[in-house]
Amino acid sequence: MSRINSAAQLEELRKDILSKRDPDKTCIAICSGMGCHGLGNDMVISALEEEIKKQDLENKVDIRVTGCHGFCEKGPILVIYPEEICYMEVTPEDAAQIISETILGKKVIDRLIYTDPNTGEKAVHQFEIPFYKNQTQYLISYNPKVDPKSIDDYLANGGYSGLSKALFEMSPEQVLEEVKKANLRGRGGGGFPAGRKWETARNAPGEEKYVIVNGHEGEQGAYMDRAIFTGNPHLVLEGLIIGAYAIGSHQGFIYTRHDTPQLKKNIDIALAKATEYGLLGENILGSGFNFNVEVHFDVGIFVSGESSALMSSIEGKNPEPRPKYIRTSVRGVWDMPTNLNNVETWANVPQIINKGAEWYTSIGTEKSKGTKLISLSGNIVNTGVVEVPFGTTLRELVYDIGGGVPNGKKLKAIHFGGPMGGSIPEEFLDTPLDFDELAKLGAPIGAGGLLVLDEDTNMVEKTRFFLDFLANESCGKCVPCREGIRQMAKILTNISEGNGKEGDIELLEEIAEVAGTASLCALGKTASDPLLSSLRYFRDEYEARIK
Amino acid sequence: MDNEKIDQIINAHQGKPSSLIMVLMEIQSLNGWLPKEVLSKVSEKLTVPLTRVMQIVTFYKTFSLIPKGRNEVHVCMGSSCHSRGAVSLMNKVQDLIRIRPGETDSESKFSLESGNCLGCCNLGPEIIINGKHHARLTPDQAEDVLKNYK
């Protein structure tokens, strides 16, 4: 493959790729996300490959191993194109029947399609299944259509057209203006407007500027960034390059997890392919813009997802946060202006450039625009990754999409934001998904991990569990966080074990206030949030355990 | 220990202190642990003081200064698994292999870790042994899973 040297050549290549593809050719797209992988999808893949070979269908049927389709609960999942027949909980033993009956006989296998557990209704296609039907997908919708190792698949689906538009039809200022107008807010936890952050980095003095993809995703029960990054790495990369162009950066970093081999592999391949095609490196697409990317890994501590700790880690030092009197967008990696956004934020950028801020702001609520990826976990029927517009109610998320609470149990609480988030009781289920509305209630969205808790949940124990986790993951640099969390966890253990004393709750509140005010970084500042929210809504459970 | 490969990793990053974490990570995944003489070599070749190397090695959970068991058992203790019964599963595993999280048994058969969320919440509660997921386990099923590892 020779490199692409202009916008026209990119479009030519895209046309060429599409002309060689027959949209009516049968293709089996098998989910290879974390969830399906853990359920043994590799055996299903090899069984299907073998069967195709046996039936001499290699030229008639394609197999596409893709990223996460979202419906992890029912894995291993596959979709057969062009009919879009969706099969679930597929085993290697099903392979022969799938090939002979569905691929050759054009007949749907009844036992492999979705059956609604409540109504008994069946659904053959993805778009008829309530889990998918009630979503609005703009980001994860690519996943079943793209082999993450194939840049051609991404190009065939319109990939890198946003980058080409930004480089050849827009000035860096115009790109920045568009992202600001779109009111894209950071998806990593804070919800800070990405455009404003970009502008700060752009205007800050410094001979070198850096951009970073934060793919740390340390929040428990949050796995949507991995779904996007593993399943469609070029989408994130395209967003990053557009951002670098707007900010005036020529060096980017990807910071991600070391414990997900598939993710690492797909990122490496994506970077190599993008460089080969001239979409990364020197003189991108012949525009004169240069940009390179380096990959760094977290090797196992939660705090390294914090922006200043992460930057310190890129420099090869301990991931210890520093006070942010001066923001990292002014002084970050090696004291140079550094703009950091998380995976999902970057993934939103190409479509904003392609379809414009006006389109983007038509989705969502007044102050939270676009869609949000949410991972559903805990006591819920349909565990998985979903994408919904802001403004969707929690009830729709938990019941219409999530299928409710399993085993006939009642819902007790919704916990958002992982160990630094908060829990709200069932009565707030009609709250819309919105950065500010949920923060007001004490359950900020965080990265988007939604944990459903059923009636059997002991809220004191759950809070102790989160604080215990944070006590181990704190870097220990500042005293309020290191000691505060430890002491709170200790008091909660006592209460949990029935050894609580009069005055414990007040002491907890006092420590929470100090740790919340005086800690260096967000870990310490928000470590007591689960405690405070559960004291706000479930105080009686604490009082009942104190003699 | 594959000294040649370790040397290759170190030499590829010679003189680059910012590659410290990367180098340690590669050696850890190759060798399973980080012996003292390897750390000295890393310090020397990457021009990073040994104290800084030690600081990094003791800070991150992935690095081990002692050899691990033949089978690395990882019980997910993420919030979702916790809601689905991971605590009793972990207790059962501890009873069965008679070590606590962070320990390796005297025969080097098992190392046990209390694992962070790997994002496979549909599989919980689960045990991951040498990277293989054993999904949706009740405590009673743990013995059947573990007995397959020698």
Side-chain angles (χ1 to χ4, degrees):
Chain A
M1 169 69 209
S2 58
R3 51 169 290 146
I4 311 164
N5 286 314
S6 68
Q9 278 181 19
L10 177 69
E11 291 318 309
E12 262 167 48
L13 173 66
R14 196 191 312 282
K15 239 189 251 161
D16 186 49
I17 295 169
L18 285 169
S19 71
K20 285 182 192 144
R21 292 185 176 198
D22 174 9
D24 294 326
K25 188 176 178 190
T26 302
C27 175
I28 309 175
I30 309 176
C31 174
S32 187
M34 292 288 289
C36 286
H37 184 68
L39 288 167
N41 74 336
D42 43 352
M43 312 264 281
V44 177
I45 296 169
S46 37
L48 281 167
E49 280 171 346
E50 209 172 290
E51 198 56 34
I52 287 174
K53 215 172 178 183
K54 216 160 72 187
Q55 304 259 17
D56 214 11
L57 291 169
E58 280 147 305
N59 295 322
K60 296 201 178 97
V61 181
D62 288 335
I63 285 196
R64 183 162 61 223
V65 179
T66 76
C68 181
H69 295 190
F71 205 173
C72 307
E73 188 69 44
K74 294 281 179 189
I77 285 190
L78 57 86
V79 181
I80 299 168
Y81 290 93
E83 295 90 353
E84 292 188 39
I85 299 166
C86 190
Y87 285 158
M88 309 186 160
E89 295 176 329
V90 180
T91 61
E93 290 74 39
D94 297 326
Q97 201 187 351
I98 291 175
I99 299 299
S100 62
E101 284 189 23
T102 308
I103 304 294
L104 293 172
K106 298 289 167 204
K107 246 177 45 206
V108 172
I109 303 168
D110 209 49
R111 65 184 172 84
L112 292 175
I113 59 174
Y114 178 79
T115 313
D116 194 303
N118 300 317
T119 62
E121 231 174 277
K122 304 238 172 196
V124 179
H125 306 101
Q126 239 188 23
F127 53 84
E128 294 158 347
I129 300 166
F131 178 84
Y132 292 108
K133 197 168 70 181
N134 293 304
Q135 298 185 43
T136 305
Q137 298 185 332
Y138 292 113
L139 302 175
I140 202 167
S141 51
Y142 279 105
N143 277 20
K145 296 177 195 147
V146 169
D147 171 354
K149 295 184 178 72
S150 159
I151 190 168
D152 286 0
D153 273 8
Y154 185 61
L155 290 171
N157 283 282
Y160 287 107
S161 56
L163 174 67
S164 161
K165 183 177 174 186
L167 289 177
F168 295 105
E169 294 169 37
M170 297 166 88
S171 67
E173 292 82 0
Q174 281 171 320
V175 174
L176 177 66
E177 229 18 73
E178 204 63 30
V179 173
K180 270 170 74 185
K181 258 204 304 206
N183 194 15
L184 171 64
R185 294 175 67 171
R187 304 297 201 242
F192 190 81
R196 267 173 53 202
K197 210 175 185 179
W198 289 20
E199 194 171 36
T200 311
R202 182 180 160 78
N203 295 337
E207 65 232 52
E208 196 70 72
K209 279 168 195 176
Y210 301 115
V211 286
I212 300 178
V213 181
N214 185 354
H216 181 266
E217 199 169 53
E219 184 180 305
Q220 301 176 339
Y223 45 96
M224 55 272 155
D225 281 356
R226 259 164 287 184
I228 289 292
F229 215 178
T230 315
N232 195 5
H234 286 288
L235 179 68
V236 182
L237 185 59
E238 184 183 354
L240 180 71
I241 307 170
I242 295 173
Y245 172 69
I247 291 163
S249 159
H250 304 289
Q251 178 66 53
F253 299 100
I254 289 172
Y255 191 79
T256 189
R257 307 173 66 93
H258 81 294
D259 59 4
T260 316
Q262 200 62 38
L263 173 66
K264 189 169 177 279
K265 201 162 151 194
N266 290 0
I267 291 174
D268 284 344
I269 295 173
L271 291 177
K273 279 284 159 198
T275 310
E276 187 189 322
Y277 277 49
L279 294 156
L280 198 63
E282 304 303 302
N283 194 15
I284 293 174
L285 289 177
S287 67
F289 176 64
N290 307 328
F291 182 66
N292 289 294
V293 177
E294 214 176 275
V295 188
H296 286 254
F297 295 98
D298 163 52
V299 268
I301 193 155
F302 182 60
V303 73
S304 65
E306 195 276 340
S307 61
S308 64
L310 186 156
M311 291 180 197
S312 165
S313 171
I314 285 177
E315 295 172 12
K317 297 185 206 134
N318 255 15
E320 287 179 359
R322 62 160 178 78
K324 287 192 238 171
Y325 310 118
I326 303 172
R327 267 177 274 164
T328 48
S329 43
V330 176
R331 225 184 268 172
V333 179
W334 291 297
D335 284 341
M336 292 297 157
T338 306
N339 178 82
L340 172 141
N341 287 118
N342 94 322
V343 169
E344 191 186 338
T345 316
W346 289 118
N348 268 286
V349 173
Q351 58 173 355
I352 291 175
I353 298 305
N354 260 327
K355 300 187 204 166
E358 206 171 308
W359 167 80
Y360 194 75
T361 49
S362 70
I363 311 157
T365 62
E366 197 197 334
K367 288 191 174 147
S368 304
K369 298 297 183 190
T371 57
K372 179 82 193 79
L373 290 162
I374 300 285
S375 36
L376 301 172
S377 72
N379 305 124
I380 191 156
V381 174
N382 299 335
T383 311
V385 181
V386 305
E387 183 178 354
V388 290
F390 279 104
T392 306
T393 64
L394 302 183
R395 188 182 299 281
E396 289 170 276
L397 269 167
V398 174
Y399 287 98
D400 298 350
I401 298 173
V405 181
N407 309 322
K409 295 271 171 65
K410 275 214 249 37
L411 176 80
K412 179 171 191 170
I414 301 262
H415 184 93
F416 248 123
M420 291 136 75
S423 305
I424 47 175
E426 205 248 343
E427 61 190 270
F428 293 107
L429 219 52
D430 290 309
T431 311
L433 186 71
D434 180 280
F435 283 116
D436 312 296
E437 292 281 327
L438 283 165
K440 248 188 272 167
L441 290 176
I445 297 179
L450 192 162
L451 176 72
V452 178
L453 302 171
D454 71 14
E455 56 186 318
D456 295 342
T457 309
N458 172 343
M459 295 308 284
V460 180
E461 168 56 21
K462 200 81 205 169
T463 310
R464 187 204 60 77
F465 163 79
F466 282 133
L467 279 164
D468 220 32
F469 169 79
L470 290 174
N472 285 318
E473 302 293 326
S474 159
C475 75
K477 181 176 180 176
C478 75
V479 178
C481 172
R482 186 185 64 219
E483 297 306 320
I485 296 175
R486 201 168 297 277
Q487 293 308 321
M488 286 190 282
K490 208 161 138 189
I491 297 167
L492 279 170
T493 307
N494 285 340
I495 298 177
S496 217
E497 288 170 354
N499 300 322
K501 300 192 298 281
E502 198 70 47
D504 271 356
I505 296 180
E506 291 72 19
L507 183 57
L508 279 172
E509 287 173 323
E510 202 184 326
I511 302 174
E513 197 190 333
V514 176
T517 313
S519 294
L520 260 183
C521 80
L523 192 144
K525 278 193 206 296
T526 54
S528 44
D529 282 6
L531 170 69
L532 295 175
S533 78
S534 76
L535 279 173
R536 182 166 159 192
Y537 299 113
F538 305 96
R539 200 178 183 99
D540 52 330
E541 288 191 33
Y542 289 78
E543 284 165 348
R545 284 178 180 78
I546 290 174
K547 281 164 250 161
Chain B
M1 198 165 75
D2 191 339
N3 279 318
E4 205 176 304
K5 272 208 178 125
I6 290 176
D7 283 343
Q8 264 175 23
I9 295 171
I10 299 175
N11 290 336
H13 298 269
Q14 195 159 1
K16 283 196 339 215
S18 64
S19 301
L20 177 60
I21 294 171
M22 195 79 83
V23 169
L24 293 172
M25 190 182 98
E26 283 178 28
I27 301 174
Q28 170 75 41
S29 70
L30 174 79
N31 196 47
W33 68 293
L34 300 168
K36 188 169 175 282
E37 53 275 23
V38 171
L39 294 177
S40 304
K41 207 183 271 177
V42 169
S43 154
E44 190 188 312
K45 293 272 174 132
L46 266 65
T47 62
V48 178
L50 189 59
T51 50
R52 269 256 326 274
V53 177
M54 289 308 291
Q55 187 191 22
I56 296 282
V57 170
T58 52
F59 191 85
Y60 284 110
K61 294 180 187 65
T62 306
F63 299 131
S64 177
L65 291 168
I66 48 164
K68 290 256 174 98
R70 291 188 296 282
N71 302 297
E72 291 192 39
V73 183
H74 174 124
V75 182
C76 178
M77 294 302 269
S79 52
S80 182
C81 286
H82 183 256
S83 287
R84 294 180 179 192
V87 176
S88 35
L89 180 62
M90 176 59 122
N91 288 340
K92 181 73 188 191
V93 171
Q94 290 188 43
D95 284 350
L96 287 168
I97 61 180
R98 295 167 178 277
I99 46 172
R100 283 175 303 178
E103 293 178 350
T104 300
D105 63 40
S106 55
E107 291 156 15
S108 290
K109 187 171 165 192
F110 290 115
S111 294
L112 179 61
E113 290 298 334
S114 142
N116 275 339
C117 180
L118 280 179
C120 317
C121 300
N122 61 322
L123 308 178
E126 65 163 344
I127 306 177
I128 299 137
I129 306 177
N130 306 334
K132 183 172 167 42
H133 295 260
H134 300 273
R136 297 169 184 162
L137 292 184
T138 60
D140 295 338
Q141 292 166 320
E143 191 168 4
D144 276 343
V145 169
L146 285 163
K147 73 175 180 212
N148 293 323
Y149 293 88
K150 304 283 171 217

